[in-house]
Amino acid sequence: MIANKVRELLARAGITVGGDQPWDIQVHDQRWYARVWRERNLGLGESYMDGWWDCPRIDQMIHRLLTHGLQEEGGAQIKELAYQLPAVVYNLQSRLRARIIAERHYNLGNDLFFSFLDPNLQYSCATFADGDDLAQAQIRKLELIAAKLELKASDHLLDIGSGWGGLAAYLARKYGCRITGVNISQPQLDHARQLCRGLPVDFQERDYRAIEGCFDKVVSVGMFEHVGRKNYRTFMKVVARCLDKNGVFLLHAIGNNISRLGSDPWINKYIFPNSMLPSLAQIGRAAENLFVIEDVHNLGPHYDPTLMAWNDNFQRAWPQLSSRYDARFKRMWEYYLLSCAGAFRARNIQLWQVVMTRHGSGTNQPRCRHGLIPLEDTQERRETK
């Protein structure tokens, strides 16, 4: 019986259906067992959106599933491969398709994103030291980026995937540098231009493949996840073409431990369409003969508390959001934030900052590490919160 098989698998991770631990699952619809067995990750996420089950701490439940390897078990292996097939056959992130992610995610509404982000509107991993709140941790991340880039007032910085302009505004004010930001989301660009009015910042609506000019430094934060396996080399060639021979490039991106052909089917369908998390091997191959990889810094453990802070803010803001977004959307969004927190806590996915210089330029190695205080005992503190 499928229900018994699902219960047995969950029990191996210490998860009990109907149990009283915060990571235990309460099933409200008996069809849930067959759905999860058949559709795996997609079925787990969709059935939560549909209200078929609940769990007080989804982050802890996902952490347990992943650390016990249960994501590799269950049925529907052929169906799982079918979800990956389009990414193998087609370029899902071509110029013609590149705006899909903006339309279906980043253009959802500034009110949604501003409800849970920090004052500098950083929709990427913060870097925490003891006692930091989200706002302080995001400033620490911005300062870390500036330090690794060795940013100075005379620099012209290219920001690929510039979001709502928070990074550009902060760096322009603090360091006095000139910045060009490139983005394809109109709501983000509108806000970024308003935020940076009066600063030496110019925002352009264009695909990264159409970038022109030469820049002293290049940064890309949280955008490479949308480039896609078939375009990694193209992205690196664009950066190499635009970067001064003595310049520094910093790539800040979520990554996979394994080189994969596609992405999680639930994340792809509901959160980040056509997204793909690169492995270090894929980044390295894409950069070969174009860049010297100076430093790879894994900040993955810091994404767990970042996501938990975002969810706390989102839950507090929900009464003001509920007139625009329905209850199913709320369950989708909290599942996204909490399941990703659990995945980072399980070390299933990572966040890398990769510092690079131009291959063949003989550029001196930049000072890549600047006293970041490590985040310790993340799992223990999350489990006992």
Side-chain angles (χ1 to χ4, degrees):
M1 186 176 177
I2 290 178
N4 288 338
K5 291 180 180 179
V6 172
R7 289 194 190 97
E8 289 171 5
L9 282 173
L10 293 174
R12 284 165 46 186
I15 300 168
T16 302
V17 175
D20 57 7
Q21 296 296 323
W23 52 80
D24 287 336
I25 291 173
Q26 312 301 320
V27 174
H28 309 308
D29 191 311
Q30 294 303 303
R31 293 175 295 173
W32 178 80
Y33 296 99
R35 186 175 184 180
V36 170
W37 183 261
R38 183 177 64 248
E39 299 179 357
R40 304 176 70 189
N41 292 5
L42 181 63
L44 187 65
E46 283 189 335
S47 61
Y48 182 78
M49 292 166 61
D50 292 339
W52 287 18
W53 64 278
D54 278 298
C55 175
R57 289 294 300 269
I58 292 172
D59 57 303
Q60 293 187 17
M61 185 270 291
I62 293 293
H63 169 247
R64 286 171 172 265
L65 287 179
L66 293 175
T67 53
H68 286 81
L70 300 192
Q71 77 278 13
E72 304 299 334
E73 304 208 29
Q77 296 288 345
I78 293 176
K79 189 170 185 178
E80 189 80 2
L81 290 174
Y83 288 123
Q84 310 294 330
L85 187 60
V88 177
V89 177
Y90 305 108
N91 184 354
L92 299 180
Q93 302 83 13
S94 66
R95 287 196 190 214
L96 292 175
R97 298 177 58 86
R99 292 181 182 271
I100 293 174
I101 179 61
E103 293 164 358
R104 288 180 50 190
H105 187 83
Y106 295 102
N107 296 359
L108 279 171
N110 286 348
D111 60 334
L112 169 65
F113 293 101
F114 295 177
S115 74
F116 65 85
L117 297 179
D118 67 294
N120 283 300
L121 303 175
Q122 295 300 292
Y123 193 28
S124 63
C125 180
T127 53
F128 287 81
D130 288 343
D132 280 354
D133 61 14
L134 178 64
Q136 293 167 322
Q138 290 290 14
I139 289 174
R140 193 178 298 278
K141 183 266 299 291
L142 294 171
E143 290 290 348
L144 185 66
I145 288 172
K148 289 182 177 182
L149 288 170
E150 298 183 336
L151 203 60
K152 53 187 183 295
S154 60
D155 284 337
H156 187 183
L157 173 68
L158 172 64
D159 179 4
I160 304 178
S162 49
W164 291 276
L167 180 146
Y170 181 88
L171 296 181
R173 288 194 183 99
K174 179 74 180 288
Y175 294 92
C177 56
R178 186 157 58 105
I179 300 174
T180 296
V182 175
N183 198 345
I184 57 173
S185 167
Q186 194 61 54
Q188 286 191 330
L189 284 165
D190 290 344
H191 185 273
R193 288 172 177 143
Q194 181 67 29
L195 180 67
C196 293
R197 182 174 294 178
L199 295 171
V201 180
D202 173 52
F203 290 103
Q204 302 176 3
E205 182 181 1
R206 63 176 61 196
D207 185 271
Y208 69 88
R209 285 160 280 215
I211 295 173
E212 299 174 347
C214 183
F215 303 87
D216 301 295
K217 310 287 170 63
V218 177
V219 67
S220 182
V221 178
M223 183 271 181
F224 197 68
E225 299 88 329
H226 307 305
V227 168
R229 178 179 61 91
K230 292 181 180 292
N231 306 298
Y232 292 155
R233 183 68 174 177
T234 298
F235 180 92
M236 293 295 182
K237 285 181 176 179
V238 169
V239 176
R241 184 186 74 221
C242 294
L243 183 64
D244 179 83
K245 70 174 185 177
N246 295 313
V248 181
F249 169 41
L250 187 147
L251 179 68
H252 176 114
I254 300 171
N256 248 319
N257 296 323
I258 301 170
S259 297
R260 297 191 184 277
L261 301 178
S263 61
D264 177 271
W266 186 85
I267 289 288
N268 182 65
K269 183 174 181 179
Y270 291 99
I271 306 299
F272 295 116
N274 303 326
S275 63
M276 191 175 296
L277 301 184
S279 68
L280 276 179
Q282 290 169 324
I283 292 173
R285 283 195 297 271
E288 197 167 296
N289 289 325
L290 296 173
F291 292 103
V292 174
I293 295 179
E294 304 284 3
D295 186 65
V296 179
H297 193 172
N298 191 342
L299 295 168
H302 293 260
Y303 228 139
D304 174 9
T306 301
L307 286 153
M308 296 302 291
W310 286 348
N311 182 66
D312 289 344
N313 291 343
F314 173 69
Q315 298 297 338
R316 283 193 294 269
W318 179 249
Q320 289 73 50
L321 297 170
S322 58
S323 62
R324 279 202 58 196
Y325 307 92
D326 63 19
R328 193 169 191 265
F329 180 93
K330 178 179 184 292
R331 292 178 71 88
M332 177 188 78
W333 205 258
E334 66 194 16
Y335 184 82
Y336 151 51
L337 296 174
L338 292 171
S339 63
C340 288
F344 278 104
R345 194 177 310 159
R347 309 309 309 282
N348 185 254
I349 48 179
Q350 312 302 327
L351 187 286
W352 293 308
Q353 282 189 352
V354 185
V355 177
M356 308 183 212
T357 56
R358 285 273 300 274
H359 173 76
S361 67
T363 302
N364 290 333
Q365 183 180 47
R367 234 179 102 231
C368 299
R369 300 296 176 97
H370 293 264
L372 177 72
I373 300 173
L375 185 69
E376 298 175 351
D377 300 323
T378 302
Q379 177 182 332
E380 179 180 346
R381 290 194 284 117
R382 292 257 64 87
E383 293 280 350
T384 58
K385 180 179 176 181

